[in-house]
Amino acid sequence: MGGVREEKKRQTKKAILDAAITLFGTRGYAETSIEQLAKAAGIGKGTIYSYFQTKSEIFLAFCEEELEFLHTEIGQQADTKKPLLETLVDIFMANFQYVTRNRDFGRVYLRELIFPTELTVKRSKEMDDRFIMFFIPFFEEAQKRGELRRDLELLFAIGHFYSLYILTLSGWYSGRLLEEEDVLMFLRMLFKQALSGLAPVPSPSQQLPISHEN
Amino acid sequence: MGGVREEKKRQTKKAILDAAITLFGTRGYAETSIEQLAKAAGIGKGTIYSYFQTKSEIFLAFCEEELEFLHTEIGQQADTKKPLLETLVDIFMANFQYVTRNRDFGRVYLRELIFPTELTVKRSKEMDDRFIMFFIPFFEEAQKRGELRRDLELLFAIGHFYSLYILTLSGWYSGRLLEEEDVLMFLRMLFKQALSGLAPVPSPSQQLPISHEN
DNA sequence: TACAAAAAATGACTGCGGTCAACTTTTCAC
DNA sequence: GTGAAAAGTTGACCGCAGTCATTTTTTGTA
């Protein structure tokens, strides 16, 4: 029979991931060694490296599962009909709370996600893409409702807010934003700024045709 | 005499930094070990750790010097009278070119700067602050010229652009932006978006008082 | 079933970042 | 000048991420 090997590999990978969920979850990232993971998964240390290239890749896989769960949860609660600003603030704040639940986890995750190495680009880009795609329906609806300009590439608009979210996270990690309340206010303020624009509102004569929304 | 000890310490610190400039510069960050740095500086390995807390802190100190030089250079060329958009694109692109001159250097630097650990927050915040302060005159002038809304907290406006710059860097490291030309276009597009706003231009009746600029 | 080739697992090993108890140098009160 | 306390230096040492030559398991073929 042919599928035996594949099946075993699947099981082993699952065992590693389960071990990661347990050990990363209880002890933390830095405090969990590859050898401990291997032991918990019932395999040798070297074997881990035929399933993952680096420790941080295991961590990303771990995060992937957790975030998938979070996103389906958020996705169910969120309403594409609500005003975009509020929706975005809600979603990003939920993410923020999740990501920074454990300070070290969040740092490792963000470093790897935002500035990946050659070994983790693929995985981190996938996660990033999924995160971005998640927003599309909300932006499409907002655009239909006239809350967003119609001449925008949706992905750039999403990227714009995403970028402000990253800045906020940076503010958290650099100690500029200490309380969750600060984070919320900072994020909302930046989002409003993004919507209304940093330049003065042009006088009517300067307005582009696109601005004549119904 | 009292100043002998202080003087010696200054020299040692300088020796470490010089060693860092040489070795990081020629071999690279990951390829340079603390022991090599110590040897090059003519001191023992342990001594390094009474001057810096981590390897990445040495790296930040190294970057600090380099960037200071870069910023004075940019500062001399830049003109506060030019349109804000062009100035910003120029400055950020110069930074981009510098930071990503060496892919690994840039990654380590950015990870530490944007998502610092407890051990490097202080230093990275200082660098961040200096970077932000650098922009103030340009924004003040732009505001006077009416290129920026007057009701904006300058720091938030700067942060806004800074955030888009970080996103661009992330795009570079995740392989979304491959050529420098892509980076330039992406950055300019985001900056324009930030200035004009993501929401449709409000109809005149909805305009806020602040929009009646002379 | 027998067996060789391919795939997978393994843990001893390497090199590194960071620590620390022992040691050396500097300071300063007398 | 003396001696003891404070400050500074050091490299052996620790634990860990990641490697790789060797061993074990699986597969396909006859």
Side-chain angles (χ1 to χ4, degrees), chain A residues 164-182:
Chain A
L164 297 170
Y165 171 59
I166 294 169
L167 184 75
T168 307
L169 281 162
S170 173
W172 171 262
Y173 277 100
S174 67
R176 288 188 173 80
L177 304 170
L178 294 172
E179 305 294 333
E180 198 179 301
E181 202 187 315
D182 302 330

Side-chain angles (χ1 to χ4, degrees), chain B residues 143-155:
Chain B
Q143 211 168 27
K144 278 188 198 148
R145 284 199 304 275
E147 287 186 51
L148 271 185
R149 288 166 54 175
R150 294 233 163 67
D151 59 335
L152 290 177
E153 273 287 350
L154 232 49
L155 288 181

